[in-house]
Amino acid sequence: MTKVHFCRSSTIVGLLIQLVTFSRWNHVALEINGTIYEADMIYGVRKLPLAPFKKMWTETRALEVDVPNVLALYEFMEAQLGKKYDFTAILALPFRKDWQDPEKWYCSEYLAGGLRKGGVPVAVREDAHRVKPNDLWTALP
């Protein structure tokens, strides 16, 4: 089972991300069979069990996603583990700077990349300067 978890927190950073991105959500993560994959500001790209992940957020909503090629999705997500969080892209959000750096990820670009590898039609332009949590919220079927 594959789910996208949309998350929101009431921390200052979370509220700031919601404000700058015009979104109800300030984080997204992917669940594959009870394991969460995310790009975290402190830990970078990592995986963790679902239970402790859900306790970190004020609110979460999960959307089940039909992934045509789960193996390709899994391999992409695993290959990114240990990479750094993309602070440059976050700081560039208001300035429409190019967000793509294959060695660094922030949460929603990590998920968009993985979902595309898995054959999910993510309706966000691939040449867009950024993918925000709200973009995934509105783009996923």
Side-chain angles (χ1 to χ4, degrees):
M1 178 181 353
T2 305
K3 293 182 182 179
V4 175
H5 291 265
F6 293 86
C7 312
R8 93 187 237 161
S9 64
S10 55
T11 65
I12 291 174
V13 172
L15 293 171
L16 184 60
I17 291 170
Q18 292 167 43
L19 178 68
V20 170
T21 62
F22 303 102
S23 178
R24 173 182 185 169
W25 313 109
N26 59 283
H27 187 68
V28 292
L30 186 76
E31 176 188 353
I32 302 173
N33 295 329
T35 298
I36 291 290
Y37 291 84
E38 68 173 352
D40 179 84
M41 285 184 167
I42 297 170
Y43 302 106
V45 180
R46 68 179 183 162
K47 65 180 178 179
L48 66 156
L50 177 62
F53 170 79
K54 289 189 85 171
K55 292 178 183 177
M56 298 186 305
W57 302 100
T58 305
E59 179 184 3
T60 63
R61 292 272 171 89
L63 292 180
E64 195 163 330
V65 179
D66 182 29
V67 179
N69 190 341
V70 177
L71 181 59
L73 167 65
Y74 173 78
E75 288 174 346
F76 176 86
M77 301 307 274
E78 285 283 319
Q80 308 314 308
L81 292 174
K83 291 188 177 179
K84 295 182 179 186
Y85 188 82
D86 195 350
F87 284 101
T88 305
I90 293 297
L91 295 174
L93 280 174
F95 305 107
R96 303 177 76 69
K97 188 176 183 302
D98 185 357
W99 55 272
Q100 297 179 339
D101 181 344
E103 295 305 312
K104 299 177 190 172
W105 298 98
Y106 66 89
C107 64
S108 45
E109 72 173 349
Y110 176 44
L111 265 62
L115 290 169
R116 285 183 177 129
K117 289 286 185 188
V120 177
V122 178
V124 175
R125 285 185 14 229
E126 289 197 43
D127 65 340
H129 293 293
R130 61 187 177 257
V131 177
K132 303 178 301 278
N134 197 58
D135 294 335
L136 290 176
W137 178 254
T138 57
L140 289 175

